[in-house]
Amino acid sequence: MTDAELVLRARGGDQIAAQRLVRRHRGLAKIHALDYFAPGLERDDLIAEGLLGLAKAIRDYRPDRDSGFRNFADICVKRQVITAIKTANRTKHKPLNHFASFSQPLSSDSDTTLEEILAGPLNRDPAAMLENAQESAGAASGLAVGLSRCTLVERESIKAVYERGESYDEVGARFGVSPKTIDNAIVRGKRKLAESLQVAAA
């Protein structure tokens, strides 16, 4: 089956066709991940970003207007990886000079801790998380700033696990990476959230 036929099937909801396309072209993500480097981004993060670019290629490819799917996918993957690197290199995304403890109160007038806001996979109710965040002055804005500092993979992994209750295996399968990569992304994302919450509470 040609790439164009698989694209049409994938857009129609055929998951097997989508998986075949990803398997056929995932090497593009690995190639571009090897071509670039960004502080704070691991190679698996760049591969995951490249796979997001591949998903966009499947979504946007037009056989009647674009060249072969592989060429189009290569452009989409490269753009996604470069965008992730530019985002990681922006000044506002550089690591702060101090870290926050997960068990330390977010501010002097609140007993709420980051551990309570991000208690783990069992605390999956976004409304409860938001309510806890609002108990501390500036915590909500701190969370927003922290999420903006996260890479796309970190942000989407945190949302998938903590808001939608997905497992690391499920999230990893969607990004085409291992559960360990998702775990690492969540750890890095939580650290960025902790840093931003610490600043907001100061």
Side-chain angles (χ1 to χ4, degrees):
M1 194 174 292
T2 67
D3 286 342
E5 290 170 331
L6 288 172
V7 166
L8 291 176
R9 285 177 175 265
R11 285 184 187 161
D14 187 336
Q15 292 298 314
I16 294 176
Q19 290 169 5
R20 286 182 67 183
L21 277 171
V22 170
R23 280 197 303 271
R24 190 177 287 181
H25 299 289
R26 69 177 294 138
L28 294 172
K30 293 181 179 179
I31 289 168
H32 289 299
L34 290 171
D35 286 343
Y36 297 97
F37 168 79
L41 286 178
E42 296 181 7
R43 183 149 295 132
D44 281 347
D45 291 323
L46 293 177
I47 290 173
E49 293 288 348
L51 291 173
L52 288 176
L54 181 55
K56 291 179 180 179
I58 294 171
R59 180 194 67 195
D60 298 334
Y61 178 66
R62 295 185 180 182
D64 57 325
R65 292 178 53 184
D66 300 314
S67 60
F69 176 77
R70 185 172 180 84
N71 291 336
F72 182 76
D74 186 61
I75 293 169
C76 292
V77 168
K78 184 176 182 179
R79 284 180 183 164
Q80 186 70 33
V81 170
I82 290 173
T83 298
I85 291 170
K86 286 180 178 177
T87 301
N89 285 331
R90 287 184 191 143
T91 301
K92 68 177 182 177
H93 291 280
K94 290 182 180 177
L96 301 180
N97 293 326
H98 58 277
F99 298 91
S101 167
F102 278 81
S103 58
Q104 177 182 344
L106 295 175
S107 67
S108 57
D109 61 346
S110 171
D111 292 330
T112 303
T113 66
L114 179 64
E115 191 172 32
E116 292 170 337
I117 294 173
L118 298 175
L122 294 179
N123 181 13
R124 294 171 175 158
D125 182 3
M129 291 172 64
L130 183 58
E131 183 178 333
N132 288 339
Q134 290 173 338
E135 292 176 4
S136 173
S141 63
L143 282 173
V145 170
L147 286 172
S148 74
R149 293 181 59 232
C150 291
T151 66
L152 181 61
V153 175
E154 291 164 355
R155 186 169 55 251
E156 290 304 312
S157 295
I158 288 171
K159 287 181 178 179
V161 171
Y162 291 98
E163 290 184 7
R164 298 193 293 274
E166 296 180 26
S167 70
Y168 287 14
D169 288 327
E170 291 171 323
V171 182
R174 188 162 65 251
F175 284 119
V177 297
S178 70
K180 179 62 177 171
T181 299
I182 298 302
D183 181 50
N184 290 339
I186 289 175
V187 168
R188 288 192 305 275
K190 279 187 171 183
R191 185 177 66 238
K192 291 174 183 177
L193 289 174
E195 293 165 356
S196 298
L197 286 166
Q198 179 77 10
V199 171

